[in-house]
Amino acid sequence: MPVHPLARCTIARPSLRIASNVRFSIGSQARYASNLTRPLLLCSIGNPPATYKNTLHSAGHLLLNAICSNLSLPPLSPAGKGAQSTRDYGASGAPLQLWQSGSLMNISGPGVAAAFRAFVKENSFAGDEGHGEPELVVLHDSLEYDMGVARISKGAGRSAKGHNGLKSILEQPGMKTQDFTRVAVGIGPRVESRQSKDVAEFVLRRMDEKERRTVEGVAGDVWDVLEKGVGQAVTVGRSR
């Protein structure tokens, strides 16, 4: 399948213009990003929502949407090729962008890498504004943690731990050494069989309403950690 390139949604901000087709809003929504000290890009990877909506493998997408809703940001909106995005500015001026991959999990790397390159380019002024360097956060599902739990960690040079989406990202130029943050969204307990067929059948199962709420319920704790910045790895939430 072809890789879906970066796409972005734009929203109006009366007085600030960064690029010819990108504007930002301020107002009541801005308070949620006001404590950010650096430009922050949250990318979720999974499978295309149109076909695989609410499957366990797309738990990262579900969590990203929950964060978007909790912060009262404009909804993620399609902008071509399957990718979706929304963004806002905090009172401090540090931008927050939420970006959802539109490609299959195992080829999500090129889109994430392109999104981050564009984000870095658009926020090259960050140092002049007194902000830190742009930071990438990747939200993905994980069989290693129970549903209702999320593990947040940061560091370059780590392995993908068998996760095809992370593997695809790490295969992109410059991403292996990129010090990005991972949010592993628990979808366990782990399946007993580790055979690829059994694992695939498990992760492509659709979540019921209770399971969706369980995943969404950890969004507040995840955002609290991301907003402050990730130092040591931390686990948030609790098993269902």
Side-chain angles (χ1 to χ4, degrees), residues 22 42 68 86 92 137 151 171 177 196 199 203 216 219:
V22 179
L42 275 59
C68 183
T86 189
S92 67
V137 178
R151 178 74 168 175
E171 288 174 345
T177 57
S196 58
V199 172
V203 300
E216 293 169 342

Side-chain angles (χ1 to χ4, degrees), residues 27-227:
S28 61
Q29 298 155 352
R31 68 182 184 274
Y32 295 105
S34 63
N35 293 325
L36 288 178
T37 58
R38 74 286 188 207
L40 192 62
L41 171 65
L42 275 59
C43 290
S44 65
I45 56 176
N47 283 322
T51 305
Y52 298 95
K53 185 177 181 180
N54 293 329
T55 58
L56 290 170
H57 213 22
S58 294
H61 291 336
L62 186 63
L63 183 61
L64 188 78
N65 277 282
I67 292 173
C68 183
S69 178
N70 285 357
L71 301 186
S72 297
L73 296 173
L76 294 170
S77 300
K81 303 295 185 179
Q84 301 187 66
S85 182
T86 189
R87 62 170 69 200
D88 203 356
Y89 253 83
S92 67
L96 168 66
Q97 180 173 354
L98 277 59
W99 184 90
Q100 179 177 281
S101 171
S103 67
L104 290 170
M105 176 70 86
N106 61 356
I107 56 170
S108 55
V112 171
F116 186 52
R117 287 195 300 269
F119 188 71
V120 170
K121 183 177 181 180
E122 291 168 2
N123 294 288
S124 59
F125 63 87
D128 296 336
E129 299 293 329
H131 304 135
E133 294 296 319
E135 182 177 329
L136 170 66
V137 178
V138 176
L139 288 69
H140 63 90
D141 66 306
S142 174
L143 287 166
E144 304 302 316
Y145 303 100
D146 288 349
M147 189 171 289
V149 171
R151 178 74 168 175
I152 308 168
S153 59
K154 185 177 181 180
R158 292 173 296 162
S159 74
K161 294 185 177 181
H163 193 285
N164 287 333
L166 291 176
K167 181 180 179 181
S168 180
I169 292 172
L170 294 173
E171 288 174 345
Q172 306 310 306
M175 295 305 294
K176 184 69 176 179
T177 57
Q178 179 63 44
D179 188 24
F180 68 89
T181 296
R182 302 180 187 183
V183 178
V185 186
I187 60 171
R190 294 172 58 173
V191 291
E192 293 183 5
S193 171
R194 303 302 285 179
Q195 296 295 319
S196 58
K197 179 181 177 181
D198 296 327
V199 172
E201 182 178 346
F202 177 78
V203 300
L204 294 179
R205 176 179 65 79
R206 293 191 186 277
M207 290 179 272
D208 60 32
E209 183 176 356
K210 181 179 180 180
E211 290 172 327
R212 292 197 301 271
R213 289 180 178 178
T214 299
V215 171
E216 293 169 342
V218 77
D221 290 337
V222 167
W223 173 250
D224 286 344
V225 174
L226 295 178
E227 184 179 28

